[in-house]
Structures are given as structure tokens and as C-alpha cells.
Amino acid sequence: MKKYLGIWLDQKKAILFSFDAPEKDPEISCLGSEIETHNRPPESQQTETPYSTRHSRTQQKMENRRHNELIEFLNDILKEIRSADQIAIAGPSLTRLQFKNYLEKFPEANAKLVDVSPLEQKSDAYLIDYFRNIFLKTPTFHI
């Protein structure tokens, strides 16, 4: 039996809709993200001159940490994909495209991708119908 996985994601979380068949109700799960959204150094590390070397090193450390947190979040989602036969991704933010690009590094997982669409956060009922319609129709890409 085929498994279908709809993923709605942004920087804060990923909501996974796992269908055994598009006609059946899915199992819904949520993965939280540890990605820091505010890149402001602690007050103790701020300097009077915003372009000093110290400021640059602090900023670089924060960007590296944010990148590592993003990769960890995407890996958590990737683990959930392994059992799916078809995957659809939706979301409002850049994270959706970052995940699509990250999937390209994994040909087996990328081959399962049938749709990537921009979509603001909606109710679970709306997202269930949205993903159900994608899996019942011929897939198209909306990047």
C-alpha cells in the first residue's frame, strides 16, 4: 500500500500529514524547530561600533548556529520521509524552498516529491483537503 506525506512547514515547525490512502483521514504529527529567528547578540557581546571585528565574529557565530539548527530541522523532517512513497511540500516561507533544495542532495527522497507550493498556514482541515487533492490529481510544481 502506498503512503503519502504532506508537509506544511515554516521556520518554527513542520506539520506532517501521513495518508495511507488519499481518501482516508491522515495521521497528523508536528515537529518543532529550534531555529533562532532573532539574530541579535546578547547585550554583553554588543559593541559600540557595529562594524567592529568583535561584532563581525559574533554575527558569524550566530549565522553558523542558525544554519546548523536549520540543517538539524531539515534532517528531522527527512527521517519522516523514508516510509512515504509520495511527498508534497507547502509553506509560506523560504524554509519550504530550502527544504526542496536540501532534498536534491538525496536522490531517493527527491524522487518521491510530487508538489512544492506556497501556502500560508491554514486550519488542519484545510491542509488535509489541500494535500488530499494533490495526491488524487496529477502533480504540478508551484515554486
Side-chain angles (χ1 to χ4, degrees):
M1 176 182 287
K2 279 190 165 188
K3 287 202 163 240
Y4 304 87
L5 184 65
I7 304 169
W8 182 93
L9 75 152
D10 65 6
Q11 286 187 11
K12 296 177 186 173
K13 65 183 173 185
I15 304 172
L16 300 119
F17 299 87
S18 181
F19 295 85
D20 287 332
E23 305 82 25
K24 295 183 179 179
D25 286 337
E27 180 181 315
I28 302 171
S29 58
C30 185
L31 294 174
S33 162
E34 307 248 340
I35 300 171
E36 290 183 25
T37 55
H38 299 289
N39 288 337
R40 184 179 171 127
E43 197 169 307
S44 64
Q45 295 178 359
Q46 291 181 6
T47 62
E48 291 182 22
T49 54
Y51 300 105
S52 70
T53 305
R54 181 176 171 194
H55 178 78
S56 299
R57 283 191 307 246
T58 302
Q59 188 67 26
Q60 185 62 43
K61 284 181 185 178
M62 291 173 63
E63 288 173 13
N64 288 343
R65 182 172 50 232
R66 185 183 181 290
H67 175 75
N68 291 338
E69 291 166 348
L70 173 66
I71 296 301
E72 185 177 327
F73 179 52
L74 299 180
N75 278 330
D76 289 344
I77 299 170
L78 187 62
K79 289 175 192 171
E80 300 294 324
I81 287 175
R82 300 206 190 276
S83 64
D85 295 304
Q86 290 186 5
I87 305 162
I89 302 170
S93 67
L94 181 61
T95 311
R96 164 183 45 90
L97 296 176
Q98 290 170 324
F99 184 58
K100 178 194 172 293
N101 293 336
Y102 187 68
L103 275 182
E104 291 174 359
K105 296 178 183 179
F106 304 93
E108 185 178 310
N110 195 44
K112 300 174 181 184
L113 188 61
V114 296
D115 189 83
V116 179
S117 302
L119 182 67
E120 294 298 319
Q121 187 169 8
K122 306 286 184 180
S123 69
D124 284 353
Y126 181 93
L127 291 171
I128 289 168
D129 286 341
Y130 179 81
F131 287 121
R132 180 176 286 135
N133 288 333
I134 287 173
F135 294 129
L136 289 172
K137 294 180 181 178
T138 305
T140 58
F141 277 87
H142 306 281
I143 297 174

